Amino acid sequence: MGIKTDVTGQVLVKCQLSGMPECKFGMNDKLLMQREREQKKTPSNTPADRGIAIEDLKFHQCVRLPKFDKERAITFIPPDGLFELMTYRITENVNLPFKIMPVINEYGRNKIEARIKLKSIFEKNLFATNVVLKFFTPKNTAIANTSAGVGKAKYEPEQGGVVWRIKKFPGDFESLLRCDIELNVTGNDKPWAKPPIAMEFQVPMFTASGLRVRFLRVHEKSGYKPTKWIRYITKAGEYQHRL
């Protein structure tokens, strides 16, 4: 069950250019693309043509803010090395990389049966790496027998429940975690609060925000041709499924 969905992101730049080149960076920013359509008098045919709404923009000090306010493209003279060009937040039309589908059955006071299906909803040619799913069990858990379709799952008392670890999870794929839990029954047991299932992961070349680089132009007086390389990655922050 989703309560709140947003993405906080950053654009990192690694610059190894000689001289003092001026760079211009354009994204699929809703306001920029709307302005371009108005200038060209062309309609928006698809959602991709309309761009995404980018909020809470914060820029590195090298960015020329008056130009951004006027053009909605980011103009800057980059410092050498690695630096954070900008940070942003997306709250609309977030692309979730995973869907968690749990079925939890409680039998009396001493047994819980959990079946948790994990489905990736990104492209087949992509892979999530270092995937970790945590299913938190009651504090009076005595035994937890687990089995998983991929990766390894085991009860880890120090983590507070069952931890399912998968090194590589392909796109458009699903797998099932089975947990059979036996509880110690005492007179002081409180009802199980059912904490949310939590996940950790990263998905290279996937953007949950939907942000895309439309252009990166480098203007330098000597006229050399730089090599440009763009990489996307999505990492889990607080990725939870409430039971």
Side-chain angles (χ1 to χ4, degrees):
M1 179 173 68
I3 303 295
K4 184 185 77 167
T5 306
D6 64 45
V7 175
T8 54
Q10 61 178 172
V11 176
L12 299 176
V13 176
K14 187 174 184 180
C15 177
Q16 296 174 311
L17 299 172
S18 58
M20 295 283 286
E22 182 181 84
C23 300
K24 201 166 190 178
F25 175 81
M27 307 164 289
N28 55 338
D29 174 18
K30 194 175 188 178
L31 295 179
L32 172 62
M33 296 176 76
Q34 182 179 334
R35 193 172 296 174
E36 288 177 352
R37 286 197 309 274
E38 289 170 355
Q39 289 171 352
K40 296 177 183 178
K41 297 182 179 179
T42 56
S44 171
N45 296 319
T46 66
D49 294 335
R50 292 192 285 271
I52 61 171
I54 304 173
E55 303 174 19
D56 298 344
L57 283 160
K58 294 177 183 175
F59 296 109
H60 188 273
Q61 60 189 19
C62 69
V63 173
R64 296 179 177 176
L65 293 178
K67 274 204 162 191
F68 177 77
D69 292 337
K70 185 179 178 182
E71 302 175 358
R72 292 295 292 189
I74 302 165
T75 304
F76 61 102
I77 296 176
D80 290 336
L82 183 67
F83 68 98
E84 184 180 78
L85 178 66
M86 60 173 270
T87 59
Y88 63 91
R89 191 164 69 96
I90 304 290
T91 58
E92 297 178 8
N93 303 316
V94 172
N95 303 314
L96 296 177
F98 286 101
K99 186 175 182 181
I100 303 169
M101 295 167 277
V103 178
I104 313 294
N105 292 310
E106 297 181 60
Y107 299 98
R109 297 174 58 198
N110 66 340
K111 187 176 179 183
I112 297 172
E113 183 183 87
R115 302 292 182 262
I116 302 169
K117 186 185 289 185
L118 180 62
K119 180 175 175 59
S120 55
I121 41 181
F122 48 88
E123 294 86 350
K124 280 185 178 181
N125 60 327
L126 301 180
F127 288 87
T129 58
N130 302 319
V131 178
V132 179
L133 183 145
K134 295 180 181 178
F135 172 59
F136 299 102
T137 61
K139 291 183 179 179
N140 59 327
T141 297
I143 300 170
N145 295 313
T146 64
S147 65
V150 294
K152 294 180 180 179
K154 66 176 181 175
Y155 174 56
E156 298 183 15
E158 67 279 6
Q159 294 282 346
V162 174
V163 182
W164 185 14
R165 291 183 169 87
I166 308 161
K167 288 184 179 179
K168 204 172 181 182
F169 199 102
D172 192 23
F173 181 77
E174 62 182 45
S175 188
L176 184 68
L177 170 66
R178 300 171 183 268
C179 305
D180 294 312
I181 299 157
E182 294 182 19
L183 308 176
N184 288 318
V185 180
T186 66
N188 300 321
D189 294 333
K190 294 180 181 179
W192 182 33
K194 293 185 179 178
I197 296 169
M199 279 192 75
E200 301 168 14
F201 56 82
Q202 57 184 39
V203 190
M205 301 312 293
F206 171 83
T207 60
S209 66
L211 184 138
R212 296 284 174 184
V213 177
R214 296 178 63 225
F215 60 82
L216 176 58
R217 300 176 187 136
V218 179
H219 302 285
E220 210 280 329
K221 290 179 181 178
S222 66
Y224 64 71
K225 290 186 178 181
T227 300
K228 293 174 279 189
W229 185 64
I230 297 166
R231 179 174 180 247
Y232 301 99
I233 190 165
T234 291
K235 296 181 181 180
E238 281 190 57
Y239 200 92
Q240 297 181 338
H241 181 98
R242 298 190 183 279
L243 298 174

